[in-house]
């Protein structure tokens, strides 16, 4: 802070001013410098250094949240991009900054703190820009009022982010056959004995579940699993129901959703249950503590607390 600059790493790219100032050129340079990078990492990393060296201009405001002293520092960019390989910590890419305000984190709403706490190194503040501008002008907004108004929205964002993470992991980190084994394990955690059928020629039934170890006592549950994100219609649900014999039950599990017609069909069949992605996540939450280590590694979750409605808040 005393030196009056901001710096980022990616020293492997060398002097960024020597790269043609287009996003495609930065992506190509990034791919060459980091040959082990996954395809999804290239546009993200290249975008950061491109914005820092090309898009940022003198006169732009910059926010730097400092974790050691829990301060939010607001300044103005005073130089074009500067390459200085002598700087410590392998952070040669710099911009001179004149720092204008150093404000405690507690002066900002939780929504504003969440936004500047992004995992990205460099990004544009959008949702809470007015709050930071007010703080810069010495007219900070009342964070407790903003927090009361945003508590429900923050909690919803956390829930949605977690749900998206779970669905993505179940979709992209498993084969369809592995997904069937995951569902079988979930059923075991719920108190059932479950076995996965052969990977082909199963007649639409992927798992057989039952309460007794040998599988003789009712109810027998026949399960179909679909590791897809699209909507499943009534014909597929009817197909599973057609494989159910007298005294048996059917369970259809998907990462996606079911059509209104499929839900209507379910309501007419007391021995049929449809579990969509949202229902599946609720079951995962309820039985996660019983998961084997390999499935907890697949879905690395931890118990957290998120803001809720403020009791006694006045409207």
């Amino acid at each position: 802070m005393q030196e009056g600059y901001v710096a980022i790493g990616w020293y492997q790219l060398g002097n960024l001013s020597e790269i043609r100032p287009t996003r495609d050129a930065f992506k190509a340079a990034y791919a060459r410098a980091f040959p082990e990078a996954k395809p999804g990492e290239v546009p993200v990393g290249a975008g950061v250094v491109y914005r820092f060296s090309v898009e940022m201009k003198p006169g732009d405001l910059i926010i730097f949240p400092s974790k050691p002293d829990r301060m939010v520092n607001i300044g103005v960019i005073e130089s074009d991009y500067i390459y200085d390989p002598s700087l410590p910590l392998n952070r040669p890419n710099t911009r001179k900054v004149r720092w204008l305000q150093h404000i405690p984190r507690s002066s900002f709403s939780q929504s504003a703190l969440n936004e500047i706490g992004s995992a990205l190194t460099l990004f544009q503040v959008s949702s809470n820009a007015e709050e930071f501008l007010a703080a810069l002008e010495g007219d900070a907004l009342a964070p407790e009022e903003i927090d009361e108004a945003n508590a429900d929205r923050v909690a919803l964002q956390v829930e949605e982010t977690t749900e998206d993470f779970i669905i993505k992991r179940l979709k992209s980190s498993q084969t369809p056959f592995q997904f069937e084994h995951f569902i079988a394990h979930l059923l075991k955690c719920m108190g059932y004995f479950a076995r996965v059928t052969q990977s082909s020629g199963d007649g639409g039934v992927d798992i057989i579940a039952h309460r007794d170890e040998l599988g003789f006592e009712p109810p027998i549950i026949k399960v179909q699993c679909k590791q897809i994100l699209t909507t499943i219609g009534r014909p597929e649900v009817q197909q599973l129901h057609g494989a159910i014999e007298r005294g048996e039950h059917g369970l259809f599990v998907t990462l996606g959703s079911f059509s209104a017609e499929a839900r209507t069909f379910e309501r007419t069949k007391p021995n049929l249950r449809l579990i969509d992605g949202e229902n599946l996540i609720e079951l995962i939450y309820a039985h996660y503590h019983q998961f084997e280590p390999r499935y907890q590694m697949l879905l690395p979750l931890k118990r957290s607390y998120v803001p809720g409605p403020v009791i006694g808040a006045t409207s």
Side-chain angles (χ1 to χ4, degrees), residues 14 43 51 84 113 130 160 175 191 204 228 240 245 283 285 293 301 312:
R51 287 190 294 272
D84 186 354
L113 295 176
E130 292 300 326
E160 289 180 343
T175 66
I228 59 175
L240 172 62
E245 299 180 5
L283 292 174
Y285 286 158
L301 305 175

Side-chain angles (χ1 to χ4, degrees), residues 29-177:
Y30 193 96
R32 289 193 299 269
F34 301 95
E36 302 301 321
K38 296 180 180 178
E41 296 175 7
V42 173
V44 175
V48 169
V49 292
Y50 175 82
R51 287 190 294 272
F52 188 88
S53 63
V54 177
E55 289 190 344
M56 290 175 60
K57 304 295 182 184
D60 288 348
L61 295 177
I62 188 166
I63 301 171
F64 170 61
S66 175
K67 291 184 178 179
D69 58 6
R70 299 189 60 79
M71 299 292 285
V72 174
N73 309 283
I74 305 177
V76 60
I77 301 293
E78 289 198 319
S79 77
D80 291 324
Y81 165 75
I82 300 172
Y83 178 68
D84 186 354
S86 67
L87 290 177
L89 302 177
N90 290 324
R91 295 175 180 173
N93 305 301
T94 72
R95 292 270 192 167
K96 290 182 179 180
V97 175
R98 177 165 54 92
W99 297 107
L100 304 173
Q101 292 280 7
H102 310 283
I103 307 168
R105 287 174 59 89
S106 57
S107 300
F108 295 94
S109 69
Q110 192 59 49
S111 175
L113 295 176
N114 289 343
E115 183 170 11
I116 62 175
S118 170
L120 289 177
T121 301
L122 181 66
F123 57 94
Q124 183 172 348
V125 171
S126 56
S127 300
N128 300 277
E130 292 300 326
E131 186 174 348
F132 290 107
L133 289 173
L136 177 61
E137 296 170 0
D139 188 22
L141 305 178
E144 63 276 5
E145 295 180 3
I146 300 174
D147 285 339
E148 289 179 7
N150 290 340
D152 288 344
R153 182 171 62 87
V154 171
L156 181 60
Q157 288 175 341
V158 172
E159 292 173 3
E160 289 180 343
T161 300
T162 305
E163 292 169 2
D164 289 341
F165 169 77
I166 292 173
I167 294 297
K168 287 178 181 177
R169 292 286 290 180
L170 294 177
K171 173 63 178 175
S172 62
S173 299
Q174 294 185 307
T175 66
F177 191 55

Side-chain angles (χ1 to χ4, degrees), residues 165 169-170 173-174 182 185 288 291-301:
F165 169 77
R169 292 286 290 180
L170 294 177
S173 299
Q174 294 185 307
F182 172 79
H185 180 67
Y288 183 79
F291 279 14
E292 294 179 357
R294 57 174 172 160
Y295 289 119
Q296 291 191 349
M297 291 178 64
L298 172 68
L299 299 175
L301 305 175

